């Protein structure tokens, strides 16, 4: 299970062991529009719907990868704890810049 949380929306993707997408859920597919897509409530709804689909597909244990700076990561974790599924792995794979972008050249006057 991959939870991608940006400043604008939250996405949940379930994949098999090879990385092929099995099912997914997004803020737009759950009926959220505009700025409501980036709220923690929207993230909980998205994860709940994704887990409901996953349980219907027969999933019993998952590995969770969280990515992004959004507020949906914390909300997704709270829902996962109460989901009843067996969580084998919980990892944060948010990319962290180790030197940042190259700075602008100094201005000559």
């Amino acid at each position: 299970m991959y939870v991608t949380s940006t400043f604008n929306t939250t996405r949940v993707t379930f994949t098999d062991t090879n990385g092929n997408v099995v099912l997914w859920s997004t803020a737009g597919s759950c009926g959220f529009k505009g700025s409501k897509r980036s709220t923690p409530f929207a993230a909980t709804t998205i994860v709940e719907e994704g887990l409901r689909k996953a349980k219907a597909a027969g999933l019993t244990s998952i590995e969770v990868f969280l990515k992004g700076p959004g507020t949906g990561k914390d909300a997704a974790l709270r829902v996962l704890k109460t989901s009843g599924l067996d969580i084998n792995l919980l990892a944060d794979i948010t990319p962290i810049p180790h030197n940042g972008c190259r700075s602008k050249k100094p201005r000559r006057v």
Side-chain angles (χ1 to χ4, degrees):
M1 174 180 174
Y2 289 88
V3 178
T4 306
S5 175
T6 64
F7 292 119
N8 296 325
T9 189
T10 303
R11 266 180 252 119
V12 176
T13 308
F14 289 89
T15 62
D16 58 7
T17 54
N18 296 329
N20 301 320
V21 175
V22 178
L23 46 101
W24 53 271
S25 179
T26 61
S29 67
C30 290
F32 293 99
K33 296 193 178 206
S35 62
K36 293 177 182 66
R37 291 167 29 154
S38 61
T39 61
F41 174 72
T44 58
T45 308
I46 294 159
V47 174
E48 285 172 354
E49 182 181 328
L51 290 172
R52 194 174 330 111
K53 289 179 184 178
K55 286 180 182 177
L59 260 80
T60 56
S61 65
I62 55 173
E63 296 178 353
V64 182
F65 298 97
L66 303 167
K67 183 177 183 179
T71 58
K73 277 198 310 190
D74 300 329
L77 276 176
R78 279 186 237 115
V79 173
L80 283 170
K81 286 182 182 178
T82 61
S83 68
L85 286 175
D86 194 23
I87 299 173
N88 296 335
L89 176 72
L90 184 61
D92 190 356
I93 57 170
T94 305
I96 299 170
H98 48 273
N99 202 8
C101 299
R102 182 174 176 171
S103 58
K104 294 174 73 172
K105 63 181 180 181
R107 185 171 171 237
R108 288 184 281 186
V109 180

